[in-house]
PDB file of all heavy atoms in Angstrom:
ATOM      1  N   TYR K 517       1.489  27.526   7.602  1.00 98.00           N
ATOM      2  CA  TYR K 517       0.041  27.714   7.772  1.00 98.00           C
ATOM      3  C   TYR K 517      -0.530  26.436   8.430  1.00 98.00           C
ATOM      4  O   TYR K 517      -0.376  25.347   7.892  1.00 98.00           O
ATOM      5  CB  TYR K 517      -0.664  28.047   6.425  1.00 98.00           C
ATOM      6  CG  TYR K 517      -2.096  28.263   6.640  1.00 98.00           C
ATOM      7  CD1 TYR K 517      -2.609  29.483   7.129  1.00 98.00           C
ATOM      8  CD2 TYR K 517      -2.964  27.325   6.443  1.00 98.00           C
ATOM      9  CE1 TYR K 517      -3.960  29.731   7.398  1.00 98.00           C
ATOM     10  CE2 TYR K 517      -4.361  27.434   6.645  1.00 98.00           C
ATOM     11  CZ  TYR K 517      -4.809  28.685   7.159  1.00 98.00           C
ATOM     12  OH  TYR K 517      -6.127  29.001   7.381  1.00 98.00           O
ATOM     13  N   ARG K 518      -1.148  26.657   9.509  1.00 98.00           N
ATOM     14  CA  ARG K 518      -1.746  25.480  10.256  1.00 98.00           C
ATOM     15  C   ARG K 518      -3.287  25.683  10.344  1.00 98.00           C
ATOM     16  O   ARG K 518      -3.707  26.772  10.602  1.00 98.00           O
ATOM     17  CB  ARG K 518      -1.155  25.266  11.577  1.00 98.00           C
ATOM     18  CG  ARG K 518       0.412  25.063  11.427  1.00 98.00           C
ATOM     19  CD  ARG K 518       1.016  24.704  12.764  1.00 98.00           C
ATOM     20  NE  ARG K 518       2.511  24.716  12.687  1.00 98.00           N
ATOM     21  CZ  ARG K 518       3.204  23.716  12.232  1.00 98.00           C
ATOM     22  NH1 ARG K 518       2.669  22.593  11.926  1.00 98.00           N
ATOM     23  NH2 ARG K 518       4.550  23.792  12.151  1.00 98.00           N
ATOM     24  N   THR K 519      -4.076  24.605  10.224  1.00 98.00           N
ATOM     25  CA  THR K 519      -5.533  24.690  10.465  1.00 98.00           C
ATOM     26  C   THR K 519      -6.011  23.415  10.953  1.00 98.00           C
ATOM     27  O   THR K 519      -5.266  22.615  11.553  1.00 98.00           O
ATOM     28  CB  THR K 519      -6.074  24.989   9.038  1.00 98.00           C
ATOM     29  OG1 THR K 519      -7.523  25.161   9.099  1.00 98.00           O
ATOM     30  CG2 THR K 519      -5.915  23.761   8.066  1.00 98.00           C
ATOM     31  N   THR K 520      -7.392  23.276  10.947  1.00 98.00           N
ATOM     32  CA  THR K 520      -7.985  22.144  11.488  1.00 98.00           C
ATOM     33  C   THR K 520      -8.413  21.138  10.364  1.00 98.00           C
ATOM     34  O   THR K 520      -8.455  21.480   9.198  1.00 98.00           O
ATOM     35  CB  THR K 520      -9.284  22.457  12.298  1.00 98.00           C
ATOM     36  OG1 THR K 520     -10.165  23.042  11.362  1.00 98.00           O
ATOM     37  CG2 THR K 520      -8.968  23.393  13.369  1.00 98.00           C
ATOM     38  N   LEU K 521      -8.651  19.895  10.842  1.00 98.00           N
ATOM     39  CA  LEU K 521      -9.094  18.873   9.813  1.00 98.00           C
ATOM     40  C   LEU K 521     -10.459  19.278   9.308  1.00 98.00           C
ATOM     41  O   LEU K 521     -10.632  19.214   7.937  1.00 98.00           O
ATOM     42  CB  LEU K 521      -9.301  17.441  10.576  1.00 98.00           C
ATOM     43  CG  LEU K 521      -9.888  16.382   9.710  1.00 98.00           C
ATOM     44  CD1 LEU K 521      -8.998  16.101   8.525  1.00 98.00           C
ATOM     45  CD2 LEU K 521     -10.018  15.143  10.548  1.00 98.00           C
ATOM     46  N   ALA K 522     -11.406  19.884   9.931  1.00 98.00           N
ATOM     47  CA  ALA K 522     -12.627  20.316   9.359  1.00 98.00           C
ATOM     48  C   ALA K 522     -12.484  21.285   8.214  1.00 98.00           C
ATOM     49  O   ALA K 522     -13.042  21.264   7.268  1.00 98.00           O
ATOM     50  CB  ALA K 522     -13.532  20.912  10.395  1.00 98.00           C
ATOM     51  N   VAL K 523     -11.554  22.327   8.402  1.00 98.00           N
ATOM     52  CA  VAL K 523     -11.285  23.363   7.413  1.00 98.00           C
ATOM     53  C   VAL K 523     -10.727  22.653   6.112  1.00 98.00           C
ATOM     54  O   VAL K 523     -10.871  22.888   4.987  1.00 98.00           O
ATOM     55  CB  VAL K 523     -10.384  24.347   7.964  1.00 98.00           C
ATOM     56  CG1 VAL K 523      -9.907  25.278   6.851  1.00 98.00           C
ATOM     57  CG2 VAL K 523     -11.130  25.254   9.038  1.00 98.00           C
ATOM     58  N   LYS K 524      -9.645  21.705   6.345  1.00 98.00           N
ATOM     59  CA  LYS K 524      -9.001  21.055   5.279  1.00 98.00           C
ATOM     60  C   LYS K 524     -10.011  20.258   4.493  1.00 98.00           C
ATOM     61  O   LYS K 524     -10.004  20.256   3.186  1.00 98.00           O
ATOM     62  CB  LYS K 524      -7.881  20.207   5.745  1.00 98.00           C
ATOM     63  CG  LYS K 524      -6.614  20.908   5.995  1.00 98.00           C
ATOM     64  CD  LYS K 524      -5.420  20.071   5.751  1.00 98.00           C
ATOM     65  CE  LYS K 524      -5.170  20.008   4.209  1.00 98.00           C
ATOM     66  NZ  LYS K 524      -3.705  19.416   3.826  1.00 98.00           N
ATOM     67  N   LEU K 525     -10.972  19.526   5.168  1.00 98.00           N
ATOM     68  CA  LEU K 525     -12.015  18.752   4.307  1.00 98.00           C
ATOM     69  C   LEU K 525     -12.929  19.657   3.722  1.00 98.00           C
ATOM     70  O   LEU K 525     -13.477  19.313   2.582  1.00 98.00           O
ATOM     71  CB  LEU K 525     -12.646  17.848   5.465  1.00 98.00           C
ATOM     72  CG  LEU K 525     -11.845  16.761   6.085  1.00 98.00           C
ATOM     73  CD1 LEU K 525     -12.768  15.904   6.958  1.00 98.00           C
ATOM     74  CD2 LEU K 525     -11.296  15.801   4.956  1.00 98.00           C
ATOM     75  N   LEU K 526     -13.325  20.803   4.303  1.00 98.00           N
ATOM     76  CA  LEU K 526     -14.158  21.757   3.680  1.00 98.00           C
ATOM     77  C   LEU K 526     -13.548  22.332   2.380  1.00 98.00           C
ATOM     78  O   LEU K 526     -14.167  22.347   1.312  1.00 98.00           O
ATOM     79  CB  LEU K 526     -14.584  22.852   4.553  1.00 98.00           C
ATOM     80  CG  LEU K 526     -15.362  24.033   4.121  1.00 98.00           C
ATOM     81  CD1 LEU K 526     -16.707  23.582   3.605  1.00 98.00           C
ATOM     82  CD2 LEU K 526     -15.456  25.288   4.934  1.00 98.00           C
ATOM     83  N   ASN K 527     -12.335  22.632   2.516  1.00 98.00           N
ATOM     84  CA  ASN K 527     -11.508  23.208   1.432  1.00 98.00           C
ATOM     85  C   ASN K 527     -11.494  22.169   0.169  1.00 98.00           C
ATOM     86  O   ASN K 527     -11.705  22.408  -0.910  1.00 98.00           O
ATOM     87  CB  ASN K 527     -10.091  23.454   1.857  1.00 98.00           C
ATOM     88  CG  ASN K 527      -9.122  24.223   0.828  1.00 98.00           C
ATOM     89  OD1 ASN K 527      -8.118  24.496   1.207  1.00 98.00           O
ATOM     90  ND2 ASN K 527      -9.725  24.510  -0.338  1.00 98.00           N
ATOM     91  N   LEU K 528     -11.208  20.886   0.623  1.00 98.00           N
ATOM     92  CA  LEU K 528     -11.132  19.806  -0.282  1.00 98.00           C
ATOM     93  C   LEU K 528     -12.627  19.685  -1.158  1.00 98.00           C
ATOM     94  O   LEU K 528     -12.541  19.527  -2.268  1.00 98.00           O
ATOM     95  CB  LEU K 528     -10.778  18.547   0.353  1.00 98.00           C
ATOM     96  CG  LEU K 528     -10.802  17.149  -0.486  1.00 98.00           C
ATOM     97  CD1 LEU K 528      -9.645  17.297  -1.532  1.00 98.00           C
ATOM     98  CD2 LEU K 528     -10.453  16.025   0.442  1.00 98.00           C
ATOM     99  N   ALA K 529     -13.587  19.629  -0.317  1.00 98.00           N
ATOM    100  CA  ALA K 529     -14.928  19.508  -0.940  1.00 98.00           C
ATOM    101  C   ALA K 529     -15.171  20.551  -1.835  1.00 98.00           C
ATOM    102  O   ALA K 529     -15.770  20.326  -3.022  1.00 98.00           O
ATOM    103  CB  ALA K 529     -15.962  19.379   0.201  1.00 98.00           C
TER     104      ALA K 529
END
Side-chain angles (χ1 to χ4, degrees):
Y517 182 79
R518 302 184 189 276
T519 188
T520 62
L521 176 59
V523 170
K524 280 213 76 170
L525 293 180
L526 175 65
N527 188 180
L528 175 66

